[in-house]
Amino acid sequence: MSRGLEAAGRDILSRAIGRLAPPRPTTVEEIRARPVRRVLVVRQHHEIGDLLLATPLLTSLRRGFPGAAVDLLVNRYAARAAAGNPDLAEVLVLDRKALWNPATLRWWWKRLRGVGYDLAVVSSTETASFMNGLLARLTGAPVVGFETRPQGARWGEDLYHCLVPWRGDGRPQWDVNLDLARALDCPVSEARLVYRVDPESRDWARLWLDEHAAGGPATAGRRRVGVFIGGDPSRADRLWDAENAAEAVRALAAHWNVVLIGAPA
């Protein structure tokens, strides 16, 4: 199915939901006036980097709702990046490919409704996600998310109860994500990305690098830094300029042992 047909199908479904079950506009004051015991953040994209850039949002929500448990809904591919995050009570893992199956959606509807969420937050980047919004609506809780009109979609108006202005004004993505926390009157501090690696995986990676990386084991005072040089060649806007990449690697090499990381050719 072409992307154009997929987008048209999402628009039709979004309008149907907006007419059959229109979201009642809800203010932050109304959300704050009710007890918030459980919060769900929806971020079911594949991009692990974007998920990590959303971790300051998770921290801010946990601090802003200190009596609440914060859960994260992610796809199977990115679940490892969320494992062990101290700000999360639970990581819900889904199979993104199966989501368009009506039986699968019904199963998730029952599971999410059964938890009894008091608030759902949709974490998006510069691309609006219909499925993120739909999964958030399945909770039955008030849904907070960015306006989607600036991103070329009307889904926010059909799915979200509280729309947060989208200001993609060149700021780092972690700071844009924190606009959701600011809108909910949650404390926002200096960004700190959270990624926990379990000891077994850390030991395996260290042994593998000692065996395969050029130069052998890291020497005292010269720790390793990995530089991922991969990327989707069909998305030229996401690829580093070769000269800029080389300059960054040379700067890192002045202080660390640099290991280039990439997928098999």
Side-chain angles (χ1 to χ4, degrees), residues 113-264:
R113 283 293 176 104
V115 173
Y117 287 107
D118 303 296
L119 175 65
V121 179
V122 176
S123 172
S124 299
T125 55
E126 71 278 359
T127 303
S129 169
F130 170 77
M131 188 55 71
N132 278 351
L134 179 59
L135 289 166
R137 278 297 298 272
L138 293 181
T139 64
V143 178
V144 177
F146 285 119
E147 295 174 339
T148 57
R149 288 281 187 179
Q151 300 162 311
R154 57 163 290 138
W155 307 326
E157 299 165 21
D158 294 323
L159 300 174
Y160 303 164
H161 299 82
C162 182
L163 289 167
V164 177
W166 168 261
R167 288 189 281 268
D169 48 10
R171 289 177 295 151
Q173 186 59 50
W174 59 262
D175 194 31
V176 175
N177 292 334
L178 284 173
D179 283 347
L180 294 168
R182 296 183 181 101
L184 289 165
D185 292 333
C186 295
V188 174
S189 58
E190 182 179 355
R192 185 176 183 180
L193 307 187
V194 179
Y195 180 52
R196 297 294 175 89
V197 180
D198 63 84
E200 182 179 355
S201 298
R202 189 185 300 274
D203 290 342
W204 176 88
R206 184 178 291 112
L207 290 173
W208 191 94
L209 286 170
D210 285 347
E211 180 180 354
H212 295 86
T219 56
R222 294 276 298 184
R223 300 182 67 182
R224 290 195 188 98
V225 58
V227 178
F228 178 64
I229 59 173
D232 184 352
S234 68
R235 296 291 302 273
D237 58 314
R238 297 192 176 189
L239 298 178
W240 275 56
D241 175 80
E243 292 184 4
N244 291 340
E247 182 180 353
V249 170
R250 283 193 292 269
L252 292 170
H255 305 281
W256 292 286
N257 292 338
V258 176
V259 179
L260 298 182
I261 303 170

Side-chain angles (χ1 to χ4, degrees), residues 3 42-52 73-82 93-100 123 125 127 129 131-132 232 235 238:
R3 289 186 177 181
V42 182
R43 172 77 209 174
Q44 54 82 39
H45 293 90
H46 284 313
E47 296 86 352
I48 293 177
D50 287 342
L51 173 59
L52 295 178
L73 179 61
V74 296
N75 68 64
R76 194 174 305 279
Y77 178 80
R80 288 289 295 272
V93 182
L94 56 81
D95 182 353
R96 185 177 177 183
K97 293 181 179 180
L99 277 179
W100 288 103
S123 172
T125 55
T127 303
S129 169
M131 188 55 71
N132 278 351
D232 184 352
R235 296 291 302 273
R238 297 192 176 189

